[in-house]
């Protein structure tokens, strides 16, 4: 499957404050066009309810619901679901209430900036290596958030063109 390099675009927009529309991207997963088309033919849209979320204003509880819905639609493979579920863990560990709205792009943008500062001020190689690993993880999570933003902007494409 093809995954557009959306992270680079999102990271550039974080640095420059640019709010251009994101390019297409694919979510990993096991959805088959026939399953998704069959759901659409039955009158139930494949991404029903997915138009009611915004990664820039979402609660951890709603995020968990969206992820479960995507998993049930077959859009997320088990490994992808597990990776995305770690976003909820990050929110919980940060002390964010399950019903408190959060901007996931800002959340990870701020985390990335903080971790870059930790790397610059690290006094030992071990501290630097640990901060670099946390930074890489934060970048991966921001990448997943950007994919969810594409689902948010085009919920009808989930499982079809989004998985091309």
């Amino acid at each position: 499957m093809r995954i557009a390099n959306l992270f680079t675009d999102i990271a550039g927009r974080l640095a420059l404050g640019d709010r251009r529309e994101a390019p297409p991207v694919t979510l990993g997963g096991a959805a088959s066009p026939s399953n998704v088309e069959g759901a659409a033919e039955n009158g139930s849209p494949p991404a029903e309810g997915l138009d009611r979320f915004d990664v820039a204003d979402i609660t951890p509880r709603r995020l968990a619901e969206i992820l479960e819905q995507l998993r049930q639609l077959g859009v997320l493979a088990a490994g992808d679901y597990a990776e995305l579920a770690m976003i909820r863990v990050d929110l919980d560990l940060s002390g964010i209430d399950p019903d408190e709205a959060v901007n996931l792009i800002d959340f990870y943008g701020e985390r990335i900036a903080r971790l870059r500062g930790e790397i610059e001020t690290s006094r030992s190689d071990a501290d630097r290596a640990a901060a670099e690993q946390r930074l890489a993880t934060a970048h991966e999570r921001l990448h997943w958030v950007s994919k969810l933003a594409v689902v948010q902007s085009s919920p009808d494409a989930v499982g079809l063109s989004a998985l091309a």
Side-chain angles (χ1 to χ4, degrees):
M1 290 186 182
R2 185 182 122 272
I3 298 179
N5 193 356
L6 186 59
F7 172 73
T8 302
D9 184 60
I10 293 289
R13 286 191 271 156
L14 283 172
L16 301 174
D18 185 5
R19 298 292 182 196
R20 292 173 291 152
E21 187 174 322
V25 18
T26 57
L27 288 170
S32 72
S34 61
N35 289 343
V36 175
E37 289 167 4
E41 289 171 5
N42 291 336
S44 64
E48 185 176 335
L50 292 178
D51 59 341
R52 294 188 303 262
F53 81 98
D54 180 355
V55 297
D57 185 26
I58 191 167
T59 67
R61 187 179 318 274
R62 180 66 179 136
L63 174 65
E65 292 168 358
I66 291 296
L67 297 179
E68 178 60 22
Q69 192 174 10
L70 288 170
R71 188 192 63 75
Q72 288 178 357
L73 287 169
V75 174
L76 290 176
D80 295 341
Y81 177 79
E83 287 288 324
L84 282 161
M86 293 306 296
I87 294 170
R88 171 70 193 261
V89 172
D90 287 348
L91 296 171
D92 290 345
L93 291 174
S94 294
I96 296 173
D97 185 81
D99 295 313
E100 178 184 344
V102 63
N103 181 325
L104 295 175
I105 294 171
D106 289 349
F107 175 81
Y108 282 107
E110 291 167 8
R111 178 172 279 199
I112 287 167
R114 188 183 76 248
L115 289 168
R116 284 183 180 147
E118 284 182 28
I119 290 168
E120 290 175 9
T121 60
S122 293
R123 295 178 188 223
S124 72
D125 290 341
D127 288 344
R128 181 182 314 275
E132 287 173 348
Q133 179 58 45
R134 290 191 309 273
L135 178 63
T137 299
H139 277 291
E140 290 171 13
R141 303 266 165 77
L142 180 59
H143 183 78
W144 278 110
V145 168
S146 66
K147 290 180 180 186
L148 286 173
V150 171
V151 171
Q152 162 199 333
S153 68
S154 185
D156 293 334
V158 173
L160 296 173
S161 61
L163 292 175

